[in-house]
Amino acid sequence: MSLFVAQDLVKRFGGLVATDRVSLSVEPGEVHALIGPNGAGKSTLVNLISGLLPADGGSIVLDGVELTAMSAHDRVRHGLSRCFQITSVFRGDSVRDNLLLAVQAHSGSSFRCFRRRSTEAGLRERALELAHKVGLEDMLDRVAGTLPHGVQRKLDVALALAARPKLLLLDEPMAGMGPEDSQQMVELIARLRAEAAILLIEHDMDAVFQLADRISVLDYGKVLASGDTAYIREHPEVQAVYLGTEELR
Amino acid sequence: MSDELHSAAIPSSGGVARWLPWALLVALALLPVVGAQLGLDYYVGFVRRMLIVMIAATSLNFILGYGGMAALGHAGFIGVGAYTVVALVDAGVSSAWTAWGAAVLVSGAFAALIGAVSLRTRGVYFLMITLAFAQMLYYLAVSLSAYGGDDGYGLYSPLELGAGRTTGDAALFFWVVLAIAALVFSFASRAAVSRFGHALTGIRDNETRMEALGYPVYRLKLAAFTGAGALAGLAGALLASHNNFVSPSTMHWTESATLLVMVVLGGLGRRWGAVLGVAVWLVLSEVLKLYTEYWHWPLGLMLIAVVFAAPRGLAGLFDDRSSA
Ligand SMILES: Nc1ncnc2c1ncn2[C@@H]1O[C@H](COP(=O)(O)OP(=O)(O)OP(=O)(O)O)[C@@H](O)[C@H]1O
Ligand SMILES: [Mg+2]
């Protein structure tokens, strides 16, 4: 059984159908890449799945649990976590405080208001663990907003990992990165697949072909084709729409 | 912002930060004694009112400064607290603790209801809707002819504090207010560095990310808003006893605005922000009133100066750390 199934998702912005009856599944342990030209509706789809945008139709099931009617934060609690195309971290806070905030969301109540958070050793430990996981252990005291772009992207991923997700949604994790940072991110994602299934949206075709087990192509809000990397590489319509301009190996 | 920064008091050196609040508390506690000897009763009363306003401002600072909720109707909750005291006194209640306790509960309930609706909106809309609710409460008070309507309601006999003492005992009432203000301040300071406080500042800084991290953003905001409303109601109840009089003007929107200005002046989202803002604003207006009836002008100019010279508020001037 698939870990994650989205069925017939629809999203309209006025007259524009940004998501047009999209169905999509992710198997346990799989990296499913979603590609498509600018404006194809990839980020919109991530917003629908994560619940930050209400869908106009369709259903979402993760690990046998129907998430469709749930708020975004409840979906996270059920194992669906995400990153953002435009880096979304707490820019004025240190890396440590960023991680603590992410960890705090998933261990105990955040309505507690009598105890200093700084006395909670368990939270600090979990935050440190996360830092190690993405390679931020040397930057804990740096202010997030002052860090290089590549490092902020790692932090964004670390924040999403705090939920111990079953499915991780990554919206163009390599966006705006140089080749070195990109390679590091590819390695990080390759390591993460041991912990969670991944829905990876990415423009960098090298990265996609390195990481993906399966690729779906989105165009004008519709799934144009879906299959393994070899199938997508050869698919004539896909080449015409999207890969035509890319150098394929 | 680090925990250390939050817990540090005004001065940057740790030692001073530790003893200053206690020194302040002792000095304030001695005030009624010293004041009585020197015949400065008026000023004891003035400081008592200042302490009460500090409670309200502290609660506003919590939702506005830490939570990023720009509410322009806080005086509405002060009014609900004050009128709860009026209603209970009118019904024959004579215990201060009963009246004040009820004021906390009733204003908290109002805040929960108003927050439940208002917090569906953000930014300017939130500001407008909280203002609108406060104005509704204002006109409700005006229409309550049983409690004097526009003319207000006089509380002729002071409330009982127990052991035969009443709020008419100026020194005792001062100490009670001081104790409550100190408790509220300590609680707010602690809450700011608790899980709840960190969650609130997270929501202020990046609400979408907080939702995506799994935080029940709306419920967290509602809890803060309700708590702040309850504390504002407590301030209102104390103010009613302080003035022995309540009128709808307590909850006029300009009162909400003044409270907001005081908090911004002192430093939004800073431990000492509300306290400092209230102290400076009230002392200055008191002093300026001695010299001119146009005292609003210099106050306004000072506010503009502070906004430009110290955008992080007066409390921000005492920080040597640049991050906020
Ligand atoms: N909130 C919105 N309101 C109106 N239109 C929107 C909104 N969000 C996205 N759109 C439109 O929906 C379409 C899909 O946008 P989306 O951001 O999902 O594309 P994308 O595939 O992520 O593109 P990119 O590769 O540039 O990130 C675009 O035409 C966009 O202009
Ligand atoms: Mg996008």
Side-chain angles (χ1 to χ4, degrees):
Chain A
M1 202 185 75
S2 300
L3 173 74
F4 172 79
V5 180
Q7 205 125 36
D8 292 326
L9 288 176
V10 176
K11 182 69 191 178
R12 292 182 209 93
F13 293 118
L16 174 79
V17 187
T19 308
D20 192 355
R21 300 179 67 85
V22 169
S23 297
L24 191 81
S25 68
V26 183
E27 305 304 314
E30 184 184 44
V31 175
H32 187 154
L34 190 66
I35 62 174
N38 289 111
K42 304 182 296 295
S43 294
T44 302
L45 185 61
V46 170
N47 286 333
L48 296 184
I49 295 174
S50 60
L52 290 183
L53 272 180
D56 295 319
S59 71
I60 293 163
V61 175
L62 177 69
D63 209 10
V65 180
E66 171 91 35
L67 302 184
T68 317
M70 273 185 203
S71 64
H73 61 86
D74 280 332
R75 293 181 196 203
V76 182
R77 298 190 175 272
H78 282 84
L80 203 158
S81 198
R82 68 166 292 176
C83 290
F84 288 81
Q85 179 169 359
I86 296 164
T87 310
S88 184
V89 297
F90 301 90
R91 299 178 51 83
D93 293 352
S94 68
V95 169
R96 188 194 309 279
D97 283 349
N98 268 269
L99 296 174
L100 280 171
L101 198 55
V103 166
Q104 181 194 320
H106 302 285
S107 60
S109 168
S110 281
F111 289 88
R112 289 186 211 157
C113 51
F114 289 107
R115 182 174 171 189
R116 283 177 196 280
R117 188 182 70 178
S118 56
T119 64
E120 295 196 50
L123 289 183
R124 290 178 159 269
E125 235 164 76
R126 267 290 288 153
L128 210 60
E129 227 174 86
L130 271 183
H132 278 291
K133 196 168 275 178
V134 298
L136 286 175
E137 62 273 22
D138 296 331
M139 317 229 172
L140 285 170
D141 292 316
R142 303 277 298 275
V143 175
T146 64
L147 293 168
H149 177 70
V151 182
Q152 289 193 37
R153 299 297 288 171
K154 280 189 198 165
L155 180 57
D156 200 324
V157 173
L159 294 186
L161 287 178
R164 296 197 176 92
K166 296 172 189 165
L167 176 69
L168 187 59
L169 307 174
L170 300 174
D171 194 353
E172 301 200 23
M174 285 85 157
M177 278 188 182
E180 204 171 307
D181 283 338
S182 284
Q183 193 48 42
Q184 278 192 26
M185 186 58 80
V186 167
E187 283 160 21
L188 174 60
I189 294 169
R191 268 182 280 135
L192 292 182
R193 63 183 302 163
E195 296 177 32
I198 294 171
L199 184 63
L200 171 70
I201 288 159
E202 190 45 66
H203 271 304
D204 181 338
M205 296 311 296
D206 282 341
V208 168
F209 285 124
Q210 272 182 68
L211 290 165
D213 301 304
R214 200 148 54 109
I215 301 175
S216 291
V217 185
L218 208 62
D219 193 27
Y220 292 110
K222 277 195 174 71
V223 177
L224 195 67
S226 187
D228 60 23
T229 49
Y231 173 77
I232 294 298
R233 230 185 276 231
E234 305 307 324
H235 199 288
E237 244 183 300
V238 173
Q239 289 188 340
V241 167
Y242 186 55
L243 299 179
T245 56
E246 293 270 344
E247 188 69 33
L248 290 186
R249 286 178 301 172
Chain B
M1 51 202 98
S2 68
D3 292 335
E4 295 81 75
L5 179 60
H6 271 306
S7 52
I10 302 181
S12 46
S13 55
V16 182
R18 233 161 246 299
W19 61 255
L20 192 73
W22 295 105
L24 201 62
L25 190 64
V26 171
L28 282 168
L30 290 175
L31 188 67
V33 181
V34 178
Q37 305 238 312
L38 300 180
L40 297 173
D41 293 327
Y42 172 79
Y43 290 100
V44 177
F46 171 73
V47 174
R48 192 169 73 190
R49 182 164 68 90
M50 192 157 84
L51 288 167
I52 295 171
V53 178
M54 281 172 182
I55 295 173
T58 298
S59 72
L60 179 60
N61 188 32
F62 200 70
I63 53 169
L64 177 62
Y66 293 94
M69 293 169 251
L72 187 48
H74 219 54
F77 302 123
I78 298 177
V80 170
Y83 272 92
T84 304
V85 170
V86 165
L88 288 178
V89 166
D90 197 65
V93 170
S94 58
S95 157
W97 307 111
T98 307
W100 298 342
V104 170
L105 294 179
V106 173
S107 51
F110 269 86
L113 289 173
I114 290 174
V117 176
S118 312
L119 289 168
R120 302 276 172 199
T121 65
R122 289 188 170 72
V124 170
Y125 300 99
F126 179 73
L127 190 137
M128 296 302 291
I129 198 167
T130 49
L131 173 63
F133 273 119
Q135 284 300 90
M136 281 165 59
L137 291 173
Y138 172 78
Y139 287 111
L140 178 68
V142 168
S143 71
L144 285 175
S145 50
Y147 303 138
D150 235 345
D151 298 330
Y153 187 98
L155 298 157
Y156 296 111
S157 48
L159 293 171
E160 287 161 15
L161 289 167
R165 316 283 292 269
T166 70
T167 53
D169 182 333
L172 180 65
F173 186 28
F174 181 94
W175 284 318
V176 168
V177 168
L178 177 61
I180 294 175
L183 276 176
V184 167
F185 177 74
S186 314
F187 171 63
S189 303
R190 174 52 64 86
V193 294
S194 70
R195 280 170 168 246
F196 187 62
H198 283 291
L200 270 190
T201 49
I203 291 169
R204 176 195 66 193
D205 294 342
N206 193 342
E207 185 167 335
T208 306
R209 196 24 149 160
M210 288 297 280
E211 184 74 29
L213 282 178
Y215 281 96
V217 167
Y218 174 76
R219 274 189 285 137
L220 284 163
K221 281 162 80 167
L222 185 56
F225 193 83
T226 303
L231 287 179
L234 174 61
L238 295 174
L239 207 57
S241 292
H242 172 85
N243 291 328
N244 293 313
F245 176 73
V246 175
S247 82
S249 65
T250 315
M251 51 172 106
H252 194 260
W253 74 271
T254 52
E255 296 295 316
S256 296
T258 306
L259 204 59
L260 203 137
V261 164
M262 288 191 278
V263 174
V264 171
L265 173 69
L268 275 176
R270 289 178 178 279
R271 187 182 179 201
W272 290 91
V275 165
L276 210 54
V278 170
V280 169
W281 183 268
L282 289 185
V283 168
L284 275 183
S285 50
E286 195 70 18
V287 171
L288 289 170
K289 270 180 208 168
L290 294 176
Y291 294 101
T292 166
E293 66 184 285
Y294 303 108
W295 57 276
H296 289 102
W297 281 94
L299 264 187
L301 287 175
M302 179 199 65
L303 188 69
I304 292 170
V306 166
V307 166
F308 280 103
R312 293 180 298 140
L314 295 172
L317 293 175
F318 295 93
D319 269 334
D320 54 354
R321 305 264 291 267
S322 59
S323 79

